[in-house]
Amino acid sequence: MWNFDAMDRNNAVLLVCASLWMVALPRTEQSKTAYASTPEEAHFAETFDSDPLDRNWIRSMAVKKVDEELYNYDGQWALEEQASEQASARNRALVLKSPGRHHAISAYLRSVYSFTDKPLCLQYEVQFQKGVECGGAYIKLLTDVSSLRLSQFSNTTPFTIMFGPDKCGSSYKVHFIFRHRNPVTGRLEEKHARQPGTDLKEYFTDRNPHLYTLRLYPDNRFEILIDLLLIRKGSLLEDMDPPVNPPRDILDPDDSKPESWDDRPLIPDPRATKSLDWDEETPRLIPDPSAQKPLGWLVGEEPFIPDPEARPPVDWSEEMDGAWEAPLISNPMCAEASGCGPWTPPTIPNPAYRGKWKPPMIDNPNYQGKWQPRSIPNPAYFEDLQPFRMSPVAAVGLELWSLTGGVLFDNILLCDSLDVAQRWTQDTWGQRQATLQESGVMEQLLLATVKRPWLWGVYVFTVGLPLILFVSFMWPDKRFGPPDQDYYYKKSDAPQADGLHDPEGPTALQDCGEKTMSGPRKRAQKKSDLEFKVVDTTSK
Protein backbone atom coordinates (compact mmCIF):
# COMPACT_ATOMS: atom_id res chain seq x y z
CA MET A 1 0.00 0.00 0.00
CA TRP A 2 1.06 3.60 -0.58
CA ASN A 3 2.10 5.72 2.39
CA PHE A 4 0.03 8.78 1.74
CA ASP A 5 1.52 10.56 4.78
CA ALA A 6 5.02 10.47 3.25
CA MET A 7 4.32 10.92 -0.43
CA ASP A 8 3.58 14.07 -2.33
CA ARG A 9 0.28 14.13 -4.21
CA ASN A 10 1.96 14.95 -7.52
CA ASN A 11 4.26 11.97 -7.13
CA ALA A 12 1.26 9.74 -6.58
CA VAL A 13 -0.36 10.96 -9.77
CA LEU A 14 2.89 10.25 -11.61
CA LEU A 15 2.93 6.79 -10.07
CA VAL A 16 -0.56 6.10 -11.42
CA CYS A 17 0.47 7.21 -14.91
CA ALA A 18 3.64 5.14 -14.72
CA SER A 19 1.59 2.10 -13.73
CA LEU A 20 -0.60 2.52 -16.78
CA TRP A 21 2.48 2.88 -18.97
CA MET A 22 4.09 -0.27 -17.57
CA VAL A 23 0.92 -2.17 -18.44
CA ALA A 24 1.18 -0.87 -21.99
CA LEU A 25 4.73 -2.11 -22.49
CA PRO A 26 4.83 -5.20 -24.74
CA ARG A 27 6.17 -8.40 -23.33
CA THR A 28 9.56 -9.24 -24.70
CA GLU A 29 9.17 -12.96 -24.22
CA GLN A 30 6.28 -15.09 -25.24
CA SER A 31 5.84 -18.78 -24.93
CA LYS A 32 5.94 -20.14 -28.47
CA THR A 33 5.97 -23.78 -29.33
CA ALA A 34 5.99 -25.66 -32.58
CA TYR A 35 2.87 -27.27 -33.99
CA ALA A 36 2.07 -30.93 -33.50
CA SER A 37 2.40 -33.45 -36.30
CA THR A 38 -0.25 -33.61 -39.00
CA PRO A 39 -3.04 -36.20 -38.53
CA GLU A 40 -2.77 -39.34 -40.61
CA GLU A 41 -6.58 -39.67 -40.77
CA ALA A 42 -6.92 -36.51 -42.83
CA HIS A 43 -7.30 -36.61 -46.59
CA PHE A 44 -5.06 -33.54 -46.72
CA ALA A 45 -3.15 -31.64 -44.04
CA GLU A 46 -0.49 -29.02 -44.71
CA THR A 47 1.34 -26.76 -42.26
CA PHE A 48 4.16 -25.67 -44.65
CA ASP A 49 6.57 -25.99 -41.70
CA SER A 50 8.86 -28.86 -42.70
CA ASP A 51 8.92 -29.93 -46.34
CA PRO A 52 10.14 -27.83 -49.28
CA LEU A 53 7.32 -26.26 -51.24
CA ASP A 54 8.06 -28.20 -54.44
CA ARG A 55 7.83 -31.54 -52.69
CA ASN A 56 4.02 -31.58 -52.49
CA TRP A 57 2.85 -28.49 -54.37
CA ILE A 58 2.87 -28.05 -58.14
CA ARG A 59 3.00 -24.64 -59.78
CA SER A 60 0.77 -24.27 -62.80
CA MET A 61 2.27 -23.90 -66.25
CA ALA A 62 -1.11 -23.32 -67.90
CA VAL A 63 -2.29 -20.24 -69.80
CA LYS A 64 -5.38 -18.35 -68.67
CA LYS A 65 -7.78 -16.80 -71.16
CA VAL A 66 -9.60 -13.65 -70.07
CA ASP A 67 -11.67 -11.61 -72.54
CA GLU A 68 -9.83 -13.04 -75.55
CA GLU A 69 -6.46 -12.27 -73.92
CA LEU A 70 -3.99 -14.88 -72.69
CA TYR A 71 -2.14 -14.68 -69.37
CA ASN A 72 0.52 -16.88 -67.83
CA TYR A 73 0.33 -17.94 -64.22
CA ASP A 74 3.59 -16.15 -63.49
CA GLY A 75 2.82 -14.98 -59.98
CA GLN A 76 5.43 -16.07 -57.45
CA TRP A 77 4.80 -18.26 -54.39
CA ALA A 78 7.12 -18.51 -51.39
CA LEU A 79 7.40 -20.15 -47.98
CA GLU A 80 7.92 -17.50 -45.31
CA GLU A 81 7.65 -17.21 -41.57
CA GLN A 82 4.42 -15.64 -40.46
CA ALA A 83 4.91 -11.97 -39.58
CA SER A 84 2.50 -11.76 -36.68
CA GLU A 85 2.63 -11.39 -32.92
CA GLN A 86 0.32 -14.40 -32.82
CA ALA A 87 2.70 -16.66 -34.76
CA SER A 88 4.26 -19.72 -33.18
CA ALA A 89 7.94 -20.55 -33.34
CA ARG A 90 9.26 -21.94 -36.64
CA ASN A 91 5.86 -21.41 -38.22
CA ARG A 92 6.06 -21.01 -41.99
CA ALA A 93 3.27 -20.38 -44.44
CA LEU A 94 2.57 -20.14 -48.16
CA VAL A 95 2.60 -16.55 -49.40
CA LEU A 96 1.20 -15.12 -52.64
CA LYS A 97 3.98 -12.68 -53.53
CA SER A 98 3.28 -10.88 -56.80
CA PRO A 99 0.66 -8.11 -56.82
CA GLY A 100 -1.46 -7.78 -59.94
CA ARG A 101 -0.46 -11.18 -61.37
CA HIS A 102 -2.18 -14.52 -61.83
CA HIS A 103 -1.20 -17.28 -59.40
CA ALA A 104 -2.01 -20.99 -59.47
CA ILE A 105 -0.63 -23.79 -57.31
CA SER A 106 -2.13 -27.12 -56.25
CA ALA A 107 -1.44 -30.40 -54.48
CA TYR A 108 -2.93 -33.90 -54.61
CA LEU A 109 -4.81 -35.31 -51.64
CA ARG A 110 -3.40 -38.27 -49.75
CA SER A 111 -6.58 -40.10 -50.71
CA VAL A 112 -9.59 -39.16 -52.80
CA TYR A 113 -12.42 -37.67 -50.80
CA SER A 114 -15.84 -39.15 -51.63
CA PHE A 115 -19.12 -37.73 -50.35
CA THR A 116 -20.72 -40.70 -48.61
CA ASP A 117 -21.99 -40.80 -45.04
CA LYS A 118 -19.33 -38.66 -43.35
CA PRO A 119 -19.08 -34.87 -43.12
CA LEU A 120 -16.62 -32.74 -45.01
CA CYS A 121 -14.38 -30.46 -42.92
CA LEU A 122 -12.35 -27.91 -44.83
CA GLN A 123 -10.41 -25.21 -43.01
CA TYR A 124 -7.38 -23.02 -43.53
CA GLU A 125 -5.92 -19.73 -42.32
CA VAL A 126 -5.64 -16.54 -44.35
CA GLN A 127 -3.77 -13.36 -43.50
CA PHE A 128 -3.83 -10.22 -45.66
CA GLN A 129 -0.44 -9.03 -44.43
CA LYS A 130 -0.49 -5.85 -46.53
CA GLY A 131 -4.24 -5.35 -46.54
CA VAL A 132 -6.36 -6.05 -49.60
CA GLU A 133 -7.65 -3.79 -52.36
CA CYS A 134 -9.13 -6.30 -54.77
CA GLY A 135 -8.52 -10.01 -54.86
CA GLY A 136 -9.52 -13.41 -53.58
CA ALA A 137 -8.05 -15.87 -51.08
CA TYR A 138 -10.38 -18.79 -51.69
CA ILE A 139 -9.44 -22.43 -52.11
CA LYS A 140 -10.74 -24.93 -54.66
CA LEU A 141 -11.35 -28.64 -54.18
CA LEU A 142 -10.55 -30.07 -57.60
CA THR A 143 -12.77 -32.79 -59.01
CA ASP A 144 -11.39 -36.28 -59.43
CA VAL A 145 -11.45 -36.66 -63.22
CA SER A 146 -9.14 -38.59 -65.50
CA SER A 147 -8.03 -35.41 -67.26
CA LEU A 148 -6.80 -33.73 -64.05
CA ARG A 149 -3.22 -32.50 -64.48
CA LEU A 150 -2.03 -30.14 -61.77
CA SER A 151 0.67 -28.69 -64.00
CA GLN A 152 -2.20 -27.41 -66.20
CA PHE A 153 -4.37 -26.18 -63.33
CA SER A 154 -6.32 -23.09 -64.45
CA ASN A 155 -9.64 -21.32 -64.13
CA THR A 156 -11.20 -23.94 -66.41
CA THR A 157 -10.12 -26.93 -64.30
CA PRO A 158 -13.25 -28.69 -62.91
CA PHE A 159 -13.78 -28.11 -59.22
CA THR A 160 -16.33 -29.51 -56.78
CA ILE A 161 -16.22 -26.79 -54.10
CA MET A 162 -14.83 -23.27 -53.95
CA PHE A 163 -14.62 -21.69 -50.50
CA GLY A 164 -13.00 -18.65 -48.93
CA PRO A 165 -12.78 -14.86 -48.67
CA ASP A 166 -12.99 -12.49 -51.62
CA LYS A 167 -12.97 -8.70 -51.79
CA CYS A 168 -13.33 -6.21 -54.60
CA GLY A 169 -14.72 -2.72 -54.46
CA SER A 170 -16.72 -2.19 -51.29
CA SER A 171 -18.00 -5.78 -50.98
CA TYR A 172 -16.47 -8.22 -48.51
CA LYS A 173 -17.55 -11.81 -49.15
CA VAL A 174 -16.96 -15.38 -48.08
CA HIS A 175 -17.77 -17.67 -51.00
CA PHE A 176 -19.19 -21.13 -50.75
CA ILE A 177 -19.86 -22.50 -54.22
CA PHE A 178 -20.42 -26.10 -55.22
CA ARG A 179 -20.98 -27.58 -58.65
CA HIS A 180 -24.05 -29.76 -59.08
CA ARG A 181 -24.71 -31.98 -62.05
CA ASN A 182 -28.17 -31.73 -63.56
CA PRO A 183 -29.33 -35.37 -63.91
CA VAL A 184 -31.61 -34.46 -66.83
CA THR A 185 -29.28 -32.38 -68.98
CA GLY A 186 -26.00 -33.67 -67.56
CA ARG A 187 -24.65 -30.10 -67.29
CA LEU A 188 -22.76 -28.84 -64.24
CA GLU A 189 -24.30 -25.80 -62.56
CA GLU A 190 -22.72 -23.59 -59.90
CA LYS A 191 -24.75 -23.11 -56.72
CA HIS A 192 -23.84 -20.12 -54.53
CA ALA A 193 -24.58 -19.85 -50.82
CA ARG A 194 -26.18 -16.57 -49.81
CA GLN A 195 -23.79 -14.16 -48.14
CA PRO A 196 -23.94 -13.85 -44.33
CA GLY A 197 -25.57 -10.79 -42.81
CA THR A 198 -22.49 -10.14 -40.66
CA ASP A 199 -20.14 -7.29 -41.54
CA LEU A 200 -16.96 -9.04 -42.68
CA LYS A 201 -14.79 -5.96 -43.24
CA GLU A 202 -12.70 -6.42 -40.09
CA TYR A 203 -11.45 -9.84 -41.22
CA PHE A 204 -10.00 -8.24 -44.36
CA THR A 205 -8.56 -5.04 -42.87
CA ASP A 206 -7.01 -5.90 -39.49
CA ARG A 207 -4.03 -7.72 -41.12
CA ASN A 208 -4.28 -10.59 -38.63
CA PRO A 209 -4.56 -14.29 -39.55
CA HIS A 210 -8.09 -15.70 -39.52
CA LEU A 211 -9.35 -19.27 -39.61
CA TYR A 212 -11.95 -20.04 -42.30
CA THR A 213 -13.96 -23.24 -41.84
CA LEU A 214 -16.53 -25.00 -44.02
CA ARG A 215 -18.51 -27.96 -42.73
CA LEU A 216 -20.84 -30.04 -44.90
CA TYR A 217 -23.04 -32.75 -43.42
CA PRO A 218 -24.65 -35.78 -45.09
CA ASP A 219 -28.10 -34.39 -44.22
CA ASN A 220 -27.35 -31.45 -46.59
CA ARG A 221 -26.62 -28.91 -43.86
CA PHE A 222 -23.67 -26.55 -44.14
CA GLU A 223 -21.88 -24.24 -41.71
CA ILE A 224 -19.40 -21.43 -42.38
CA LEU A 225 -17.20 -20.23 -39.53
CA ILE A 226 -14.52 -17.57 -39.14
CA ASP A 227 -12.24 -17.93 -36.13
CA LEU A 228 -14.61 -20.70 -34.95
CA LEU A 229 -17.47 -18.18 -34.91
CA LEU A 230 -20.51 -19.32 -36.88
CA ILE A 231 -21.40 -16.64 -39.44
CA ARG A 232 -23.67 -18.63 -41.80
CA LYS A 233 -25.57 -21.87 -41.78
CA GLY A 234 -28.20 -23.32 -44.04
CA SER A 235 -29.32 -26.13 -46.29
CA LEU A 236 -28.01 -27.15 -49.68
CA LEU A 237 -31.64 -27.67 -50.72
CA GLU A 238 -33.05 -24.33 -49.54
CA ASP A 239 -30.30 -21.70 -49.19
CA MET A 240 -28.46 -21.77 -52.52
CA ASP A 241 -28.81 -19.52 -55.56
CA PRO A 242 -29.97 -20.79 -57.96
CA PRO A 243 -31.78 -23.60 -56.13
CA VAL A 244 -30.54 -27.14 -56.58
CA ASN A 245 -33.92 -28.44 -57.70
CA PRO A 246 -35.81 -26.57 -60.45
CA PRO A 247 -39.53 -25.69 -60.07
CA ARG A 248 -42.01 -28.46 -60.78
CA ASP A 249 -44.11 -26.22 -63.07
CA ILE A 250 -43.11 -23.39 -65.38
CA LEU A 251 -44.93 -20.83 -67.52
CA ASP A 252 -45.54 -22.05 -71.04
CA PRO A 253 -43.07 -20.14 -73.25
CA ASP A 254 -45.26 -20.83 -76.32
CA ASP A 255 -48.45 -19.42 -74.81
CA SER A 256 -49.56 -15.96 -76.02
CA LYS A 257 -52.27 -13.52 -74.95
CA PRO A 258 -55.51 -13.74 -76.97
CA GLU A 259 -56.42 -10.66 -78.96
CA SER A 260 -59.81 -10.47 -77.20
CA TRP A 261 -58.22 -10.42 -73.74
CA ASP A 262 -58.98 -7.09 -72.04
CA ASP A 263 -56.53 -6.43 -69.19
CA ARG A 264 -57.37 -2.71 -68.74
CA PRO A 265 -58.66 -2.15 -65.19
CA LEU A 266 -59.87 1.39 -66.11
CA ILE A 267 -61.25 2.86 -69.33
CA PRO A 268 -62.39 6.36 -70.41
CA ASP A 269 -66.08 6.95 -69.71
CA PRO A 270 -67.73 6.59 -73.15
CA ARG A 271 -70.75 8.65 -72.01
CA ALA A 272 -68.76 11.72 -70.98
CA THR A 273 -68.71 14.80 -73.26
CA LYS A 274 -66.72 18.03 -73.17
CA SER A 275 -68.64 21.05 -71.90
CA LEU A 276 -69.20 23.96 -74.28
CA ASP A 277 -67.23 26.44 -72.16
CA TRP A 278 -64.12 24.27 -72.08
CA ASP A 279 -61.36 26.25 -73.80
CA GLU A 280 -58.33 24.08 -74.57
CA GLU A 281 -56.43 27.03 -76.03
CA THR A 282 -56.23 28.99 -72.78
CA PRO A 283 -52.52 29.30 -71.80
CA ARG A 284 -51.24 27.80 -68.56
CA LEU A 285 -49.36 31.00 -67.53
CA ILE A 286 -50.25 34.65 -68.06
CA PRO A 287 -48.43 37.95 -67.27
CA ASP A 288 -49.11 39.22 -63.77
CA PRO A 289 -51.54 42.13 -64.30
CA SER A 290 -50.65 43.63 -60.92
CA ALA A 291 -46.89 43.73 -61.57
CA GLN A 292 -45.25 47.11 -62.21
CA LYS A 293 -41.89 48.00 -63.62
CA PRO A 294 -39.41 48.73 -60.78
CA LEU A 295 -38.29 52.32 -60.32
CA GLY A 296 -34.97 53.11 -61.95
CA TRP A 297 -35.29 50.46 -64.64
CA LEU A 298 -33.30 51.59 -67.71
CA VAL A 299 -35.28 50.33 -70.67
CA GLY A 300 -33.00 51.96 -73.23
CA GLU A 301 -29.81 50.40 -71.90
CA GLU A 302 -28.58 46.89 -72.70
CA PRO A 303 -27.29 44.72 -69.81
CA PHE A 304 -24.08 43.99 -71.78
CA ILE A 305 -22.17 46.23 -74.17
CA PRO A 306 -19.02 45.77 -76.30
CA ASP A 307 -15.84 46.54 -74.36
CA PRO A 308 -14.80 50.02 -75.57
CA GLU A 309 -11.16 49.37 -74.61
CA ALA A 310 -10.85 46.10 -76.50
CA ARG A 311 -8.73 46.03 -79.66
CA PRO A 312 -8.45 43.30 -82.26
CA PRO A 313 -5.31 41.14 -82.10
CA VAL A 314 -2.34 42.29 -84.13
CA ASP A 315 -2.51 39.28 -86.42
CA TRP A 316 -6.28 39.57 -87.00
CA SER A 317 -7.18 39.47 -90.69
CA GLU A 318 -10.74 40.38 -91.67
CA GLU A 319 -10.29 38.58 -94.97
CA MET A 320 -9.41 35.31 -93.22
CA ASP A 321 -10.93 35.73 -89.75
CA GLY A 322 -13.99 37.81 -90.59
CA ALA A 323 -15.20 40.98 -88.94
CA TRP A 324 -13.80 41.40 -85.47
CA GLU A 325 -16.26 41.95 -82.62
CA ALA A 326 -15.28 43.28 -79.22
CA PRO A 327 -16.10 41.06 -76.24
CA LEU A 328 -19.12 42.00 -74.16
CA ILE A 329 -18.84 43.44 -70.66
CA SER A 330 -21.42 44.45 -68.09
CA ASN A 331 -22.98 47.81 -68.83
CA PRO A 332 -21.66 50.27 -66.20
CA MET A 333 -24.92 52.23 -66.52
CA CYS A 334 -26.75 49.24 -65.07
CA ALA A 335 -24.56 48.95 -61.98
CA GLU A 336 -26.73 51.25 -59.87
CA ALA A 337 -30.02 50.67 -61.71
CA SER A 338 -32.69 48.14 -60.74
CA GLY A 339 -32.45 46.61 -64.22
CA CYS A 340 -31.67 47.20 -67.88
CA GLY A 341 -33.22 46.30 -71.20
CA PRO A 342 -36.83 45.55 -72.09
CA TRP A 343 -38.97 44.88 -69.02
CA THR A 344 -41.58 42.14 -69.02
CA PRO A 345 -43.93 41.38 -66.12
CA PRO A 346 -43.54 38.01 -64.38
CA THR A 347 -46.01 35.26 -65.22
CA ILE A 348 -48.51 33.65 -62.88
CA PRO A 349 -50.77 30.57 -63.21
CA ASN A 350 -53.82 31.33 -65.34
CA PRO A 351 -56.96 30.85 -63.23
CA ALA A 352 -58.93 30.17 -66.43
CA TYR A 353 -56.60 27.40 -67.62
CA ARG A 354 -58.25 24.01 -67.93
CA GLY A 355 -55.93 22.16 -70.32
CA LYS A 356 -56.83 19.56 -72.86
CA TRP A 357 -60.11 17.84 -72.09
CA LYS A 358 -60.07 14.14 -71.30
CA PRO A 359 -63.02 11.96 -70.33
CA PRO A 360 -62.95 10.66 -66.75
CA MET A 361 -61.84 7.07 -66.13
CA ILE A 362 -64.25 4.41 -64.93
CA ASP A 363 -63.96 0.73 -64.04
CA ASN A 364 -63.74 -1.49 -67.09
CA PRO A 365 -66.79 -3.75 -67.11
CA ASN A 366 -64.95 -6.19 -69.43
CA TYR A 367 -61.77 -6.38 -67.32
CA GLN A 368 -60.44 -9.95 -67.34
CA GLY A 369 -57.45 -9.47 -65.06
CA LYS A 370 -53.72 -9.44 -65.73
CA TRP A 371 -52.85 -12.05 -68.31
CA GLN A 372 -50.05 -14.54 -67.78
CA PRO A 373 -49.07 -17.69 -69.65
CA ARG A 374 -50.50 -20.95 -68.42
CA SER A 375 -48.41 -23.26 -66.26
CA ILE A 376 -47.15 -26.50 -67.67
CA PRO A 377 -45.02 -29.28 -66.19
CA ASN A 378 -41.35 -28.39 -66.31
CA PRO A 379 -39.73 -30.71 -68.84
CA ALA A 380 -36.36 -30.16 -67.11
CA TYR A 381 -37.72 -30.93 -63.65
CA PHE A 382 -35.87 -33.29 -61.36
CA GLU A 383 -35.65 -33.80 -57.62
CA ASP A 384 -32.28 -34.42 -56.05
CA LEU A 385 -32.74 -34.89 -52.31
CA GLN A 386 -29.03 -35.61 -51.74
CA PRO A 387 -27.02 -32.71 -53.21
CA PHE A 388 -24.39 -33.50 -50.57
CA ARG A 389 -23.28 -36.39 -52.75
CA MET A 390 -21.07 -34.26 -54.96
CA SER A 391 -18.29 -35.26 -57.31
CA PRO A 392 -15.25 -36.78 -55.55
CA VAL A 393 -12.26 -34.55 -54.80
CA ALA A 394 -8.69 -35.42 -55.76
CA ALA A 395 -6.69 -32.22 -55.10
CA VAL A 396 -6.72 -28.79 -53.51
CA GLY A 397 -5.71 -25.69 -55.43
CA LEU A 398 -5.26 -21.93 -55.15
CA GLU A 399 -6.04 -20.16 -58.43
CA LEU A 400 -6.02 -16.45 -57.59
CA TRP A 401 -5.48 -12.92 -58.75
CA SER A 402 -4.85 -10.16 -56.23
CA LEU A 403 -4.06 -6.49 -56.63
CA THR A 404 -2.15 -6.66 -53.32
CA GLY A 405 0.64 -9.12 -52.61
CA GLY A 406 1.61 -10.73 -49.32
CA VAL A 407 -1.50 -12.90 -48.95
CA LEU A 408 -0.62 -15.71 -46.54
CA PHE A 409 -2.11 -19.24 -46.39
CA ASP A 410 -1.47 -21.73 -43.62
CA ASN A 411 -2.68 -24.93 -41.95
CA ILE A 412 -4.89 -26.35 -44.70
CA LEU A 413 -6.99 -29.33 -43.61
CA LEU A 414 -9.48 -31.53 -45.43
CA CYS A 415 -10.94 -34.45 -43.50
CA ASP A 416 -14.17 -36.33 -42.84
CA SER A 417 -14.09 -36.29 -39.03
CA LEU A 418 -15.12 -33.47 -36.71
CA ASP A 419 -12.88 -34.95 -34.00
CA VAL A 420 -9.83 -34.86 -36.28
CA ALA A 421 -10.66 -31.28 -37.25
CA GLN A 422 -11.04 -30.31 -33.59
CA ARG A 423 -7.65 -31.80 -32.63
CA TRP A 424 -6.01 -30.11 -35.63
CA THR A 425 -7.56 -26.79 -34.64
CA GLN A 426 -6.30 -27.15 -31.08
CA ASP A 427 -2.78 -27.89 -32.32
CA THR A 428 -2.72 -24.95 -34.74
CA TRP A 429 -5.21 -22.16 -34.32
CA GLY A 430 -6.03 -23.12 -30.72
CA GLN A 431 -2.36 -23.11 -29.74
CA ARG A 432 -2.03 -19.52 -30.93
CA GLN A 433 -5.12 -18.49 -28.99
CA ALA A 434 -3.74 -20.15 -25.87
CA THR A 435 -0.57 -18.12 -26.29
CA LEU A 436 -2.63 -14.97 -26.46
CA GLN A 437 -4.48 -15.93 -23.29
CA GLU A 438 -1.18 -16.49 -21.50
CA SER A 439 -0.15 -12.97 -22.42
CA GLY A 440 -2.85 -11.69 -20.09
CA VAL A 441 -6.04 -9.74 -20.40
CA MET A 442 -4.26 -6.40 -20.29
CA GLU A 443 -2.13 -7.19 -23.34
CA GLN A 444 -5.20 -8.29 -25.26
CA LEU A 445 -6.86 -5.00 -24.38
CA LEU A 446 -3.80 -3.18 -25.64
CA LEU A 447 -3.83 -5.20 -28.89
CA ALA A 448 -7.36 -3.95 -29.41
CA THR A 449 -6.09 -0.36 -29.45
CA VAL A 450 -4.12 -1.08 -32.64
CA LYS A 451 -7.36 -1.32 -34.59
CA ARG A 452 -9.29 1.11 -32.39
CA PRO A 453 -7.03 3.91 -31.10
CA TRP A 454 -10.01 5.61 -29.49
CA LEU A 455 -9.99 2.83 -26.87
CA TRP A 456 -7.09 4.65 -25.17
CA GLY A 457 -9.55 7.36 -24.18
CA VAL A 458 -11.90 4.72 -22.78
CA TYR A 459 -9.09 3.09 -20.80
CA VAL A 460 -7.89 6.39 -19.33
CA PHE A 461 -11.42 7.42 -18.47
CA THR A 462 -12.40 4.09 -16.86
CA VAL A 463 -9.09 3.24 -15.16
CA GLY A 464 -6.74 6.20 -14.91
CA LEU A 465 -9.25 8.90 -14.06
CA PRO A 466 -10.81 7.07 -11.07
CA LEU A 467 -7.34 6.37 -9.64
CA ILE A 468 -6.29 9.99 -9.99
CA LEU A 469 -9.54 11.19 -8.43
CA PHE A 470 -9.11 8.70 -5.59
CA VAL A 471 -5.63 10.03 -4.83
CA SER A 472 -6.82 13.63 -5.10
CA PHE A 473 -9.79 13.28 -2.76
CA MET A 474 -8.37 10.80 -0.25
CA TRP A 475 -5.01 12.56 0.26
CA PRO A 476 -4.73 14.02 3.84
CA ASP A 477 -5.20 17.79 3.69
CA LYS A 478 -4.67 20.38 6.43
CA ARG A 479 -8.05 21.87 5.87
CA PHE A 480 -9.79 18.51 6.26
CA GLY A 481 -7.61 16.80 8.89
CA PRO A 482 -8.78 15.57 12.28
CA PRO A 483 -10.24 18.37 14.44
CA ASP A 484 -7.96 17.51 17.37
CA GLN A 485 -4.90 18.63 15.37
CA ASP A 486 -3.75 22.23 15.52
CA TYR A 487 -3.79 22.61 11.72
CA TYR A 488 -7.53 22.04 11.52
CA TYR A 489 -9.38 25.16 10.39
CA LYS A 490 -11.92 26.40 7.92
CA LYS A 491 -12.09 29.59 5.94
CA SER A 492 -15.30 30.44 7.77
CA ASP A 493 -13.72 30.09 11.26
CA ALA A 494 -12.89 33.12 13.42
CA PRO A 495 -9.23 34.23 13.54
CA GLN A 496 -7.09 32.01 15.79
CA ALA A 497 -4.60 33.19 18.43
CA ASP A 498 -0.97 32.36 17.95
CA GLY A 499 0.29 29.18 19.51
CA LEU A 500 3.48 28.83 21.46
CA HIS A 501 5.16 27.13 18.58
CA ASP A 502 4.42 29.96 16.09
CA PRO A 503 7.53 32.06 15.44
CA GLU A 504 7.40 35.85 15.92
CA GLY A 505 8.05 37.89 12.81
CA PRO A 506 8.96 36.76 9.33
CA THR A 507 11.44 33.98 8.73
CA ALA A 508 14.25 34.52 6.27
CA LEU A 509 14.65 32.12 3.39
CA GLN A 510 18.26 31.36 4.32
CA ASP A 511 17.21 30.22 7.80
CA CYS A 512 15.72 27.11 6.26
CA GLY A 513 19.15 25.78 5.22
CA GLU A 514 19.24 22.03 4.83
CA LYS A 515 16.66 21.47 7.52
CA THR A 516 13.94 18.93 6.86
CA MET A 517 10.46 19.61 8.10
CA SER A 518 8.91 16.97 10.28
CA GLY A 519 5.49 16.65 11.72
CA PRO A 520 2.37 18.38 10.48
CA ARG A 521 2.85 21.00 7.81
CA LYS A 522 2.08 24.59 8.99
CA ARG A 523 -0.02 26.91 6.98
CA ALA A 524 1.63 30.13 5.83
CA GLN A 525 0.86 33.34 7.71
CA LYS A 526 -1.24 35.92 5.96
CA LYS A 527 -1.41 39.67 6.34
CA SER A 528 -4.76 39.30 8.06
CA ASP A 529 -3.13 37.10 10.74
CA LEU A 530 -0.48 39.75 11.56
CA GLU A 531 -3.05 42.46 11.82
CA PHE A 532 -5.05 40.31 14.19
CA LYS A 533 -2.03 39.90 16.46
CA VAL A 534 -1.44 43.65 16.63
CA VAL A 535 -5.02 44.31 17.59
CA ASP A 536 -4.90 41.57 20.16
CA THR A 537 -1.71 42.99 21.76
CA THR A 538 -3.19 46.44 21.98
CA SER A 539 -6.27 45.16 23.67
CA LYS A 540 -4.13 43.63 26.37
Side-chain angles (χ1 to χ4, degrees), residues 185-352:
T185 64
R187 297 178 57 184
L188 287 169
E189 303 171 350
E190 292 187 1
K191 310 298 179 180
H192 297 244
R194 302 185 185 104
Q195 289 298 310
T198 308
D199 185 6
L200 305 176
K201 181 178 181 180
E202 181 179 355
Y203 300 110
F204 291 80
T205 58
D206 62 4
R207 303 194 180 189
N208 289 327
H210 295 287
L211 176 65
Y212 290 83
T213 304
L214 172 65
R215 297 172 183 169
L216 296 180
Y217 299 94
D219 60 357
N220 300 313
R221 290 182 298 115
F222 69 86
E223 295 174 345
I224 299 175
L225 302 90
I226 303 181
D227 297 344
L228 300 182
L229 176 66
L230 181 66
I231 63 168
R232 187 77 171 92
K233 65 178 181 179
S235 168
L236 299 178
L237 290 169
E238 301 174 359
D239 299 295
M240 308 300 292
D241 289 325
V244 170
N245 295 316
R248 187 182 298 271
D249 297 319
I250 62 172
L251 299 178
D252 186 357
D254 299 326
D255 193 12
S256 60
K257 184 173 68 173
E259 295 182 0
S260 60
W261 190 277
D262 192 346
D263 56 2
R264 300 173 299 166
L266 299 174
I267 60 172
D269 186 356
R271 296 171 298 179
T273 57
K274 182 176 66 172
S275 59
L276 297 178
D277 61 346
W278 190 287
D279 186 2
E280 296 183 349
E281 304 300 326
T282 303
R284 181 188 296 271
L285 300 175
I286 60 173
D288 186 359
S290 62
Q292 296 182 356
K293 182 175 64 177
L295 296 176
W297 189 283
L298 303 178
V299 178
E301 296 289 341
E302 294 294 334
F304 298 94
I305 61 172
D307 186 357
E309 299 180 359
R311 299 291 182 270
V314 178
D315 57 349
W316 187 275
S317 173
E318 291 189 357
E319 295 180 356
M320 300 183 62
D321 302 324
W324 179 82
E325 295 181 0
L328 299 178
I329 62 172
S330 299
N331 191 342
M333 297 293 294
C334 301
E336 302 296 334
S338 58
C340 290
W343 178 84
T344 56
T347 59
I348 60 173
N350 186 355

Side-chain angles (χ1 to χ4, degrees), residues 17-62:
C17 296
S19 300
L20 293 174
W21 175 252
M22 290 301 293
V23 171
L25 289 177
R27 296 178 61 173
T28 57
E29 295 184 359
Q30 208 174 45
S31 58
K32 295 183 178 181
T33 57
Y35 288 163
S37 58
T38 58
E40 294 296 332
E41 306 95 321
H43 291 267
F44 186 84
E46 178 64 85
T47 63
F48 301 103
D49 291 334
S50 56
D51 298 330
L53 180 61
D54 294 336
R55 179 172 178 178
N56 298 320
W57 291 85
I58 300 173
R59 294 177 173 87
S60 176
M61 305 298 293

Side-chain angles (χ1 to χ4, degrees), residues 147-201:
S147 60
L148 179 62
R149 300 291 184 272
L150 297 190
S151 61
Q152 298 301 311
F153 172 41
S154 69
N155 59 321
T156 61
T157 301
F159 69 89
T160 301
I161 289 176
M162 189 178 87
F163 169 69
D166 186 21
K167 188 263 181 182
C168 203
S170 59
S171 61
Y172 300 85
K173 299 180 180 180
V174 174
H175 291 296
F176 165 42
I177 304 171
F178 77 93
R179 301 180 75 184
H180 178 265
R181 185 175 297 278
N182 187 316
V184 176
T185 64
R187 297 178 57 184
L188 287 169
E189 303 171 350
E190 292 187 1
K191 310 298 179 180
H192 297 244
R194 302 185 185 104
Q195 289 298 310
T198 308
D199 185 6
L200 305 176
K201 181 178 181 180

